[in-house]
Each structure stands twice: as structure tokens, then as C-alpha cells.
């Protein structure tokens, strides 16, 4: 294939990635900047930020929906999701310590810097249910959980036993 523009020509070249193909996997856009919000609404199948609060999620989601309408796409064509880093523990102080250590070790910056930009939860699973419900109330339809700390499997078990049944999912 030959690809040409005003200043150059390429022989045996291929332009990638190819546009989304019908029947292909959904493509979701993350981020909360102007371009990410616009593109999520205009071009992609889902929006996947890691908003620190329900209010910041709602503000972004409103802008994604406006971009979707401007592109004359159905609102149902863009799925709202949310990513959160969390530490489940019946002892809230232990959960907070685990989350802080994980965040600071992963990003190599103070916990407060990341917590101001991303959804983070530390505490008992029951409290997380209430926290996540606030996000659901402002439009979240999918949640991606990233468990902090070394106790990943126990946190996954607690999430399956406590979060899923109370948030409308099924436990494993």
C-alpha cells in the first residue's frame, strides 16, 4: 500500500491502529481532560476515569454526554465506568495504612497527591458499599477495583462476599 501526503510518500506502509470495526471489542477512553472528555463522547464506547469524588465524576460525565449529543450519537452508546484503588479491612486504621503504603510505593509521591486525583477508599467493605453507591447515583455503571497492599486475595474474597451482593452483582 502506498501512503502519500503533501511532503512525503511511503511505500508498503500500513496505517495503524485501524478504526473500530463492527463487532470488535468496545473501546473505552480514560481521563478527565478536555480532549479525553470530548473524545469519549464523540468516538468511544465508554468513559473510564478515576475521579476522586462523585461530584468530579458527575461533572466529567455531564461533559461526556454533551459531546455525545453534539456528535449525534445515542447516549446509550457510551458506558460510564469508574476505577478505584481500595484497601478493605475491618480495622479502618489498618486499611488506611495499607492504602497509603501501596499508593506511595506505586507512584513514589505522597498519598495526598494521588488521593486528590483518583478514587481511593480505605476501610471496612460495608463503608465502601455506601461510598460506591454515591458514584452509582451520579451515573457510574461499571466499577473496576484495584486492591492495595499484599492481601489481594482476602480483599477479593471480601469484595465478592460483601460488595457484589449489596451493589447488585453476584458473589463468587
Amino acid at each position: 500500500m502506498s501512503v502519500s501526503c503533501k511532503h512525503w510518500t511511503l511505500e508498503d506502509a500500513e496505517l495503524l491502529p485501524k478504526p473500530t470495526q463492527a463487532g470488535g471489542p468496545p473501546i473505552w477512553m480514560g481521563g478527565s481532560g478536555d480532549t479525553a472528555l470530548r473524545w469519549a463522547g464523540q468516538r468511544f464506547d465508554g468513559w473510564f476515569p478515576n475521579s476522586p469524588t462523585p461530584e468530579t465524576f458527575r461533572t466529567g460525565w455531564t461533559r461526556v454526554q454533551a459531546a455525545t449529543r453534539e456528535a449525534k450519537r445515542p447516549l446509550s452508546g457510551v458506558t460510564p465506568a469508574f476505577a478505584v484503588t481500595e484497601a478493605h479491612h475491618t480495622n479502618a486504621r489498618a486499611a488506611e495504612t495499607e492504602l497509603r503504603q501501596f499508593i506511595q510505593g506505586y507512584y513514589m509521591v505522597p498519598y495526598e497527591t494521588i488521593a486528590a486525583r483518583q478514587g481511593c477508599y480505605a476501610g471496612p467493605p460495608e463503608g465502601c458499599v455506601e461510598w460506591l453507591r454515591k458514584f452509582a447515583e451520579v451515573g457510574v455503571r461499571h466499577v473496576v477495583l484495584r486492591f492495595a497492599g499484599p492481601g489481594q486475595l482476602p480483599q477479593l474474597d471480601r469484595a465478592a462476599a460483601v460488595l457484589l451482593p449489596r451493589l447488585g452483582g453476584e458473589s463468587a
Side-chain angles (χ1 to χ4, degrees):
M1 159 195 263
S2 177
V3 179
S4 298
C5 80
K6 182 178 178 180
H7 301 287
W8 46 263
T9 299
L10 298 174
E11 297 295 331
D12 296 320
E14 189 173 4
L15 296 176
L16 296 172
K18 293 184 180 192
T20 304
Q21 303 294 310
I27 299 176
W28 292 24
M29 171 61 109
S32 298
D34 292 339
T35 301
L37 296 171
R38 187 175 64 253
W39 285 9
Q42 293 174 348
R43 302 177 178 187
F44 295 101
D45 302 304
W47 178 55
F48 183 56
N50 50 6
S51 305
T53 67
E55 294 76 22
T56 57
F57 181 89
R58 179 183 359 192
T59 299
W61 181 229
T62 298
R63 292 179 61 196
V64 169
Q65 290 175 310
T68 304
R69 284 187 200 94
E70 288 171 17
K72 299 186 181 356
R73 296 178 64 203
L75 290 177
S76 62
V78 182
T79 301
F82 169 66
V84 58
T85 302
E86 57 187 328
H88 289 135
H89 199 288
T90 54
N91 179 320
R93 177 174 250 134
E96 173 87 14
T97 298
E98 193 168 90
L99 181 62
R100 282 179 169 278
Q101 289 174 346
F102 175 81
I103 292 290
Q104 289 176 178
Y106 187 85
Y107 291 103
M108 306 302 276
V109 297
Y111 168 77
E112 290 76 16
T113 301
I114 299 303
R117 295 175 166 200
Q118 295 184 11
C120 296
Y121 175 83
E126 296 80 7
C128 190
V129 169
E130 295 310 313
W131 186 73
L132 289 173
R133 279 193 179 135
K134 292 175 185 173
F135 283 90
E137 289 169 4
V138 296
V140 169
R141 293 297 168 259
H142 292 276
V143 176
V144 174
L145 306 174
R146 177 172 70 163
F147 300 115
Q152 302 264 319
L153 288 177
Q155 289 185 75
L156 180 60
D157 288 341
R158 285 192 295 272
V162 178
L163 297 182
L164 291 177
R166 293 183 181 164
L167 292 171
E170 298 176 15
S171 63

